[in-house]
């Protein structure tokens, strides 16, 4: 990949907006591009926290462990950054990152980014802001798991996905991701069988359509009222 092309790519990540052009070029020289196949692990629990990852293409899931029942902490899409806790904690990874689709990543060295933060306090602010947003979203999800019904958990999770990644058209909002019922269950803390029952009910009520490659919210306004 040509240097100017990679630099253009790095500029798509808001975390790097605080850097000057020379600093961005320095980052570009110290990054690596990786292609990860669907189902391949990017890192495991216990791996060293020495890199930060920028997601160029594909989907990555962050989970608590390696079994099918483990909770999905986050689904990440192009433009997202992950592994950022390495900036403040040198402890080994306590979670797993796995490619849901064929994925292209840009990896950044932790020590290099720490040096950049010393040169640019604004970059440190952006990283802190990113961590705060992630924590707030995780706290909201935990509250939903504790206090909301199965229908509400699934409805609100689909609305969150639509807000972040949905594409509006004349039939509603299309969420263009391949998310099976087991993975959706891991996102909301429900068994796959329960997810199937809820989706069938929402489909019967004309609120959603769920296919193998995507999910469509046919009536987002009514979906928000599900309790």
């Amino acid at each position: 990949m040509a240097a100017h092309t990679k630099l253009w790519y790095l500029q798509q990540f808001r975390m790097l907006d605080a850097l000057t052009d020379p600093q961005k070029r320095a980052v570009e020289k110290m990054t690596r591009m990786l292609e990860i196949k669907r189902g391949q692990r990017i890192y495991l629990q216990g791996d060293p926290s020495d890199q930060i990852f920028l997601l160029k293409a594909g989907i990555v899931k962050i989970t608590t462990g390696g079994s099918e029942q483990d909770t999905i902490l986050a689904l990440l899409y192009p433009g997202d950054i992950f592994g950022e806790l390495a900036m403040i904690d040198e402890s080994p990874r306590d979670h797993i990152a796995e490619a849901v689709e064929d994925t292209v990543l840009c990896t950044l060295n932790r020590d290099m980014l720490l040096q950049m933060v010393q040169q640019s306090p604004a970059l440190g602010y952006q990283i802190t802001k990113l961590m705060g947003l992630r924590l707030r979203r995780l706290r909201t999800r935990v509250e939903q798991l504790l206090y909301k019904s199965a229908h509400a958990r699934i409805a609100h999770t689909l609305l969150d996905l639509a807000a972040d990644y949905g594409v509006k058209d004349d039939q509603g909002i299309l969420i263009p991701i391949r998310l099976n019922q087991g993975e959706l269950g891991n996102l909301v803390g429900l068994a796959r069988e329960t997810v199937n029952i809820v989706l069938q009910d929402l489909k019967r009520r004309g609120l959603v359509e769920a296919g193998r490659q995507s999910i469509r919210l046919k009536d987002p306004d009514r979906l928000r009222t599900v309790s």
Side-chain angles (χ1 to χ4, degrees):
M1 177 177 294
H4 70 278
T5 303
K6 185 186 285 189
L7 182 59
W8 175 87
Y9 160 60
L10 289 174
Q11 289 171 341
Q12 308 311 302
F13 292 87
R14 291 187 296 272
M15 192 181 78
L16 303 182
D17 286 349
L19 298 180
T20 64
D21 286 340
Q23 289 173 328
K24 289 177 182 177
R25 284 190 287 272
V27 170
E28 180 272 326
K29 292 178 181 178
M30 301 183 70
T31 59
R32 292 188 304 129
M33 303 296 291
L34 300 177
E35 294 185 2
I36 309 295
K37 295 296 184 182
R38 179 187 180 195
Q40 184 176 344
R41 302 284 174 75
I42 299 163
Y43 56 75
L44 300 171
Q45 292 170 323
D47 282 353
S49 297
D50 56 1
Q51 294 190 64
I52 291 86
F53 299 87
L54 290 72
L55 181 53
K56 179 182 180 183
I59 303 173
V60 170
K61 65 179 178 182
I62 306 297
T63 67
T64 57
S67 71
E68 292 184 358
Q69 289 73 39
D70 283 315
T71 301
I72 296 178
L73 301 174
L75 285 173
L76 307 175
Y77 299 86
D80 281 336
I81 297 169
F82 62 100
E84 73 281 355
L85 283 178
M87 297 293 294
I88 59 173
D89 188 357
E90 297 183 36
S91 301
R93 308 283 189 190
D94 62 358
H95 57 277
I96 291 174
E98 178 181 327
V100 178
E101 304 283 356
D102 289 348
T103 294
V104 179
L105 300 174
C106 181
T107 69
L108 303 177
N109 179 272
R110 171 186 179 273
D111 292 337
M112 180 269 295
L113 269 185
L114 286 174
Q115 186 177 29
M116 289 291 181
V117 168
Q118 293 177 349
Q119 299 173 5
S120 174
L123 175 61
Y125 169 76
Q126 291 291 340
I127 294 173
T128 302
K129 181 179 178 181
L130 170 66
M131 294 178 180
L133 290 173
R134 288 271 170 83
L135 181 60
R136 183 171 63 184
R137 175 161 292 188
L138 182 59
R139 184 172 62 244
T140 299
R141 284 193 53 216
V142 170
E143 291 173 353
Q144 290 179 351
L145 294 180
L146 290 175
Y147 303 118
K148 295 187 181 297
S149 69
H151 278 69
R153 294 185 201 179
I154 292 176
H156 292 172
T157 296
L158 293 178
L159 287 166
D160 286 343
L161 291 172
D164 287 339
Y165 312 107
V167 179
K168 291 184 179 181
D169 58 25
D170 57 1
Q171 299 181 56
I173 303 178
L174 180 68
I175 305 173
I177 59 175
R178 181 161 52 184
L179 186 67
N180 64 42
Q181 293 181 0
E183 290 169 330
L184 182 55
N186 290 345
L187 267 174
V188 297
L190 297 171
R192 184 190 62 78
E193 293 78 9
T194 302
V195 172
N196 180 60
I197 292 171
V198 172
L199 287 178
Q200 290 299 322
D201 183 54
L202 296 177
K203 180 179 179 180
R204 179 184 58 79
R205 293 157 64 179
L207 300 181
V208 305
E209 284 183 354
R212 296 185 63 182
Q213 302 292 332
S214 63
I215 300 174
R216 182 183 300 278
L217 309 189
K218 300 194 68 175
D219 194 336
D221 291 335
R222 285 177 57 206
L223 195 62
R224 290 187 183 92
T225 68
V226 171
S227 60

